[in-house]
Amino acid sequence: MTDSAKPNPAKPKLSLVNRLLYGNVDRDAKGRARVGLAILAFACIYTIICGRLVYLASTSDAQGGRRGGGDIIATARPDIQDRNGEVLATDVRMPSLFGEPRRIIDVDEAVELLTATVPDLNANELRERLSSKRGFVWLKREITKEQQRQIHRLGIPGIGFRSENKRVYPNGPAVSHVIGHVNIDNQGIAGIEKWLDARGLADLHSLGFASDRQQEPVQLAVDLRVQHALRSELIAARTKYKAKAAAGLITDVNTGEIVSMVSVPDYDPNDPREALDKDRINRLTTGVFEMGSTFKALTVAMALDSGKITLGSSFDARHSLRYGKFSINDFHAQRRILTVPEIFTYSSNIGTARMALSLGVEHHKAFLKRMGQLDRLRTEIPESAEPLVPKRWGELNTVTIAFGHGLSVAPLQAVMGISALMNGGKLIPPTFLKRTEAEANELAKQVVRPETSDRMRYLMRLNAEKGSARKADVEGYYVGGKTGTAEKVVGGRYSKTKLLTSFTAVLPADKPRYLILIMLDEPQPLPETHGYATSGWNAVPVAGLVIGRVAPLLGIAPRFDLPPADRLILAATASTR
């Protein structure tokens, strides 16, 4: 049998679609078929989407699903804890009252019964909501269990309850400026709460993936015990010195952790409406201030780190420093040539200004830039202020900024810079979260030499032994520190009566672990302060009280019979070089 005689194998039958797309048909017909199929596929997809939207519009309201505006469901958030596991913020389940207007039989009767049971319901607003065409409306969020029972007994058709998450803060205002608060829908709108949402929690909520079981607690660096101690001392100080406000910070200089942060007056995050009061702002991150003589620590460190100026260098402070129409004077005028340690302990404006001028404007600007004082400081807390830096920076700016006027920074920013002067010269970004020293070292930038840091610790301790910080020298804790008194700018002019006083303490000065900032806004002179309202008479003694209370909580044991700074710090420094 020849091949031609063999029967042809049966060709598989092609479907109509396959024949049009792949069969041996006209190419134009094939193209039209493909376009038609694409149109059909898209039409099917859009039909499904439209059907789903119609379904959601008609059913999700009745089921209490998510809606825009104020009718979304408050979702779960993770607990926030302090460094020892104490709960700072948590969720509790609360009933909320809702209505389904399409099922309401008699709106007037429903309004009358509900307002009789829950008197703070607004009758007009309630009637308007229940008369709408919507499938679901909130009537009152977070009602009591007793109110829920009473309304349930009324048996009103179309009125129901949903169990929602309510954020509660068991410590009230104690940590308010750190943890922030949430709105009625449990969405973070300030502080760590807002940071949590920005870190993806809001997205998880919107997708419905955030549940109680999936969220691990967030642990902060804050120590609640220390926070309570600092806050109570600041409240007492604000009352005693009749200050407009008081604020304090305690940071670990080796990790950048913020162990405590208080700014009073504060607010109760359980009633966040108080946060709208402008006097209750967090002065440590949101406010910017001229920090006064606290800034002299940076200027002296700049001079020592340059290698051109040593502790043995001296500057002429016999006369006022005239610069144009301005005259720079010293509050504790000595009218003589001062060494660098004397400039620091007498807090000489003249000596500090001459020191900065000897290095030049560009050197000064570059150093402060390196110390993080000219750029906005970013932390986990979203509320932060941009420093106020002169647009045109000449020699007069360097003169005034050298002793803490003419440049406004957030106090936390100044603390970051001075911490670097104490910890061996490493600038570590501050954090409100727990962080190890190894993690901090990965982020650290070496901004001054370790030798400069040694000398600055010596000067800080010397100031507590002989200078303006003597009232903070708590026996056994080897405190060092620098005072700061700045005249506030009122109406474009420096006020002689409105002062911002501060004191920055290092603890212990020979082996720094913590930096403590105490700040009083417009403290008033008292008879016992002999009419003075400068830092040495208010912020410094307050720091002494704080150190006496928090040092044991921070695990710092008292030591006695410690030698003076020149023998303990300088001698040890010289022996290791």
Side-chain angles (χ1 to χ4, degrees):
M1 185 181 290
T2 63
D3 290 345
S4 59
K6 292 179 181 177
N8 290 330
K11 293 181 180 178
K13 290 185 178 179
L14 295 175
S15 67
L16 175 63
V17 173
N18 281 338
R19 286 203 305 275
L20 286 173
L21 293 178
Y22 309 111
N24 187 19
V25 297
D26 181 73
R27 293 185 64 184
D28 291 341
K30 191 187 293 184
R32 286 195 296 274
R34 288 176 176 177
V35 172
L37 281 174
I39 292 173
L40 183 62
F42 278 110
C44 290
I45 293 171
Y46 281 115
T47 302
I48 292 170
I49 292 173
C50 290
R52 182 64 178 165
L53 289 175
V54 170
Y55 171 78
L56 290 174
S58 61
T59 61
S60 65
D61 279 352
Q63 294 169 2
R66 287 177 173 279
R67 289 181 62 93
D71 288 342
I72 62 176
I73 304 296
T75 46
R77 305 181 65 80
D79 283 359
I80 300 176
Q81 301 176 347
D82 86 334
R83 66 184 304 115
N84 301 311
E86 295 292 332
V87 174
L88 305 177
T90 190
D91 280 353
V92 296
R93 302 293 286 177
M94 295 282 290
S96 287
L97 180 67
F98 72 86
E100 297 171 273
R102 295 171 188 167
R103 295 182 55 208
I104 298 292
I105 299 171
D106 187 332
V107 172
D108 289 334
E109 182 187 25
V111 170
E112 185 178 345
L113 292 172
L114 289 173
T115 51
T117 309
V118 186
D120 57 341
L121 278 173
N122 183 297
N124 293 332
E125 185 178 328
L126 187 62
R127 183 175 288 103
E128 182 181 345
R129 301 210 101 195
L130 291 179
S131 301
S132 70
K133 304 292 185 186
R134 302 170 67 182
F136 175 92
V137 289
W138 283 123
L139 302 181
K140 183 169 176 56
R141 312 289 284 273
E142 300 165 7
I143 61 175
T144 66
K145 292 285 186 183
E146 179 57 27
Q147 287 174 329
Q148 183 185 25
R149 278 192 290 273
Q150 292 178 8
I151 295 171
H152 185 72
R153 289 194 198 105
L154 296 175
I156 308 171
I159 298 297
F161 309 94
R162 283 193 67 91
S163 186
E164 285 197 290
N165 292 290
K166 174 181 169 56
R167 200 63 161 171
V168 295
Y169 303 91
N171 294 284
V175 205
S176 56
H177 283 306
V178 176
I179 54 180
H181 55 273
V182 300
N183 62 14
I184 190 71
D185 297 314
N186 243 18
Q187 297 167 331
I189 56 174
I192 291 294
E193 295 281 28
K194 187 173 183 179
W195 174 80
L196 280 173
D197 280 37
R199 296 276 293 177
L201 181 62
D203 294 336
L204 285 176
H205 282 163
S206 65
L207 295 172
F209 293 150
S211 71
D212 296 330
R213 289 178 299 174
Q214 292 172 321
Q215 301 182 62
E216 293 295 323
V218 176
Q219 199 158 34
L220 303 186
V222 168
D223 186 321
L224 187 59
R225 303 166 305 164
V226 177
Q227 185 81 1
H228 277 296
L230 176 61
R231 183 170 181 269
S232 70
E233 291 297 340
L234 289 173
I235 290 173
R238 183 177 173 234
T239 303
K240 178 178 181 179
Y241 297 104
K242 302 178 178 62
K244 182 178 178 183
L249 264 174
I250 300 177
T251 65
D252 186 322
V253 299
N254 299 312
T255 64
E257 293 173 291
I258 297 168
V259 178
S260 181
M261 182 175 78
V262 177
S263 179
V264 290
D266 45 21
Y267 69 97
D268 188 346
N270 295 300
D271 183 10
R273 289 171 297 183
E274 294 178 346
L276 300 175
D277 183 352
K278 62 181 177 56
D279 288 335
R280 297 176 189 270
I281 66 164
N282 178 5
R283 285 168 166 74
L284 298 162
T285 61
T286 308
V288 291
F289 302 93
E290 295 182 355
M291 295 299 292
S293 297
T294 298
F295 243 56
K296 286 173 183 161
L298 293 170
T299 309
V300 173
M302 173 184 70
L304 295 175
D305 202 59
S306 72
K308 299 176 181 175
I309 295 167
T310 68
L311 289 177
S313 302
S314 56
F315 292 85
D316 190 352
R318 291 175 294 177
H319 311 287
S320 300
L321 175 62
R322 296 287 304 178
Y323 210 93
K325 62 180 181 179
F326 299 99
S327 177
I328 311 301
N329 296 292
D330 284 345
F331 188 77
H332 305 285
Q334 302 299 303
R335 307 293 181 197
R336 61 183 173 86
I337 294 174
L338 300 175
T339 63
V340 169
E342 288 174 328
I343 288 171
F344 195 79
T345 53
Y346 290 123
S347 200
S348 169
N349 295 337
I350 300 169
T352 313
R354 290 193 186 281
M355 207 180 292
L357 283 173
S358 71
L359 297 171
V361 171
E362 293 308 315
H363 188 102
H364 193 200
K365 285 173 64 176
F367 181 79
L368 292 180
K369 178 83 174 177
R370 194 162 80 231
M371 300 301 293
Q373 302 302 301
L374 305 187
D375 300 305
R376 185 175 181 177
L377 177 63
R378 303 281 187 178
T379 66
E380 292 84 7
I381 291 183
E383 301 84 23
S384 67
E386 191 92 27
L388 300 179
V389 182
K391 292 180 180 176
R392 300 180 63 183
W393 189 321
E395 285 193 342
L396 180 58
N397 301 102
T398 277
V399 166
T400 59
I401 291 171
F403 56 82
H405 284 75
L407 174 66
S408 299
V409 299
L412 177 58
Q413 198 163 10
V415 165
M416 175 183 68
I418 296 170
S419 294
L421 306 182
M422 300 293 105
N423 67 10
K426 296 175 290 187
L427 189 73
I428 301 172
T431 180
F432 290 91
L433 305 179
K434 287 186 80 172
R435 180 195 281 162
T436 66
E437 202 166 325
E439 291 169 339
N441 284 332
E442 291 180 4
L443 301 170
K445 294 179 182 175
Q446 193 74 34
V447 287
V448 296
R449 295 178 296 149
E451 304 91 285
T452 303
S453 177
D454 292 340
R455 284 155 181 72
M456 289 307 302
R457 289 191 288 109
Y458 159 71
L459 291 176
M460 295 283 267
R461 174 58 194 169
L462 188 67
N463 203 29
E465 291 175 0
K466 300 179 179 177
S468 55
R470 292 193 296 275
K471 287 186 171 60
D473 190 15
V474 182
E475 187 177 5
Y477 290 112
Y478 213 64
V479 179
K482 183 72 191 84
T483 51
T485 301
E487 295 170 353
K488 293 177 68 175
V489 177
V490 180
R493 305 176 67 87
Y494 284 108
S495 168
K496 296 293 182 185
T497 57
K498 296 183 184 299
L499 304 177
L500 182 88
T501 63
S502 61
F503 179 63
T504 309
V506 59
L507 179 74
D510 59 328
K511 192 175 182 182
R513 178 72 191 278
Y514 295 103
L515 201 75
I516 300 171
L517 172 71
I518 300 296
M519 200 171 81
L520 296 174
D521 192 353
E522 297 184 21
Q524 301 303 308
L526 305 177
E528 65 199 74
T529 66
H530 310 287
Y532 292 107
T534 50
S535 169
W537 292 99
N538 44 59
V540 175
V542 172
L545 294 171
V546 170
I547 290 168
R549 286 187 64 175
V550 305
L553 299 174
L554 294 169
I556 299 178
R559 298 174 295 165
F560 299 98
D561 300 324
L562 288 166
D566 54 351
R567 280 193 279 151
L568 184 63
I569 301 177
L570 277 191
T573 301
S575 66
T576 56
R577 301 295 176 221

